[in-house]
Amino acid sequence: MQEKRKANDDEKVVAEIMQRCFVPTLITTTCWEGFHFVGHEIRITEAMDCYGAVVWPSALVLCYFLETNVKQYNMVDKNVIEIGAGTGLVSIVASLLGAHVTATDLPELLGNLQYNLSRNTKMKCKHLPQVKELSWGVALDKNFPRSSNSFDYILAADVVYAHPFLEELLLTFEHLCRETTVILWVMKFRLEKENRFVDRFQELFDLEEISSFPSLNIKLFKATKKNRRNA
Ligand SMILES: C[S@@+](CC[C@H](N)C(=O)[O-])C[C@H]1O[C@@H](n2cnc3c(N)ncnc32)[C@H](O)[C@@H]1O
């Protein structure tokens, strides 16, 4: 009975999340996808050439969560970093919710990321989001010195999949996370090997599953540094 109720909830919420997407009614020269979040129409330019060039379902789950949990996770004036931001939808939604956002990804993604962020946040946000290169595990001390990092939130959607940088990803979470930082991370479960990342992650962070969407094989986690002193 409880299982059936859970499945119905999953279907209902996933349908609600998916309704936030729309496609252009006219054929245009650039390929874009539309989304409705925080009372705004958001247009995202996509490409088909790499993982970061399309919006993944995990990003929709995180945007929906941020929009529908503003009381508990208030973004206004918060210092937020997104890792593996891709096309930038999550960073745009966090910006529309009032956060100071730094959207990061690999160098080759930054042009399109900047374009999407500018197009969807100019004149609409309290703080304009910044775009910065962050290749996981690379030059972290130089580009994000621990002494000046003070992120309230680290956001991450679908950053764990079959890529060879899982240890570097873990190192990056560890480097950016202060004692008071909250990580909101949406994970799509695919292969057993990469799913084991969750166990590695739990060696460093206290992990709480906030929601689960079995029909998408997606879970949303909240994490904080283990053994925090002053949270
Ligand atoms: C599956 S996509 C998810 C994109 C976006 N978060 C979303 O959910 O739509 C994974 C993202 O991680 C980024 N990425 C992969 N390897 C990376 C690395 N070594 N350093 C930094 N970013 C990386 C990709 O460029 C891509 O934007």
Side-chain angles (χ1 to χ4, degrees):
M1 192 68 177
Q2 213 180 354
E3 284 305 305
K4 199 171 166 196
R5 193 168 330 122
K6 266 191 192 167
N8 287 343
D9 285 353
D10 173 37
E11 267 173 37
K12 198 171 140 242
V13 180
V14 168
E16 228 167 89
I17 293 172
M18 294 308 163
Q19 271 170 18
R20 302 307 189 90
C21 314
F22 68 96
V23 285
T25 45
L26 294 173
I27 296 170
T28 54
T29 45
T30 47
C31 181
W32 62 270
E33 231 191 310
F35 303 89
H36 290 289
F37 285 106
V38 205
H40 290 270
E41 182 181 297
I42 300 169
R43 289 184 181 199
I44 296 289
T45 300
E46 300 187 327
M48 300 309 286
D49 54 354
C50 58
Y51 281 111
V54 295
V55 176
W56 293 81
S58 299
L60 299 181
V61 167
L62 188 48
C63 290
Y64 183 82
F65 177 80
L66 293 176
E67 188 200 80
T68 53
N69 288 275
V70 284
K71 278 205 179 125
Q72 212 178 340
Y73 299 92
N74 185 347
M75 291 285 130
V76 178
D77 298 333
K78 295 294 190 303
N79 228 345
V80 171
I81 186 165
E82 184 185 6
I83 59 170
T87 53
L89 182 63
V90 170
S91 285
I92 291 165
V93 168
S95 300
L96 292 171
L97 288 167
H100 279 280
V101 176
T102 305
T104 70
D105 209 302
L106 294 167
E108 58 271 29
L109 273 289
L110 301 187
N112 191 45
L113 178 58
Q114 178 68 71
Y115 175 76
N116 283 328
L117 258 59
S118 303
R119 175 190 198 174
N120 290 289
T121 60
K122 248 185 204 160
M123 316 284 281
K124 296 178 187 164
C125 288
K126 196 170 177 196
H127 312 288
L128 278 182
Q130 307 295 308
V131 168
K132 202 166 166 183
E133 176 182 341
L134 197 175
S135 305
W136 300 329
V138 177
L140 293 173
D141 280 324
K142 180 168 162 268
N143 297 335
F144 297 87
R146 281 185 199 265
S147 54
S148 52
N149 279 352
S150 58
F151 296 112
D152 298 298
Y153 290 100
I154 299 172
L155 304 179
D158 206 358
V159 289
V160 178
Y161 51 96
H163 61 68
F165 302 106
L166 291 176
E167 274 308 305
E168 288 80 357
L169 173 63
L170 190 61
L171 196 73
T172 303
F173 273 120
E174 196 280 325
H175 183 87
L176 297 173
C177 191
R178 297 273 74 83
E179 301 219 332
T180 51
T181 307
V182 171
I183 299 173
L184 293 174
W185 162 38
V186 179
M187 159 118 180
K188 169 120 179 138
F189 287 79
R190 298 183 178 97
L191 303 173
E192 184 50 35
K193 181 170 170 271
E194 62 205 52
N195 294 350
R196 284 201 294 271
F197 180 84
V198 178
D199 301 327
R200 289 283 291 122
F201 190 89
Q202 277 181 293
E203 290 167 18
L204 300 181
F205 300 97
D206 289 322
L207 191 64
E208 184 190 331
E209 183 186 308
I210 297 189
S211 34
S212 173
F213 303 96
S215 61
L216 298 173
N217 282 332
I218 282 178
K219 287 185 179 183
L220 193 154
F221 296 110
K222 169 187 173 182
T224 48
K225 202 154 223 171
K226 257 192 197 304
N227 306 320
R228 297 188 300 165
R229 269 168 288 139
N230 60 349

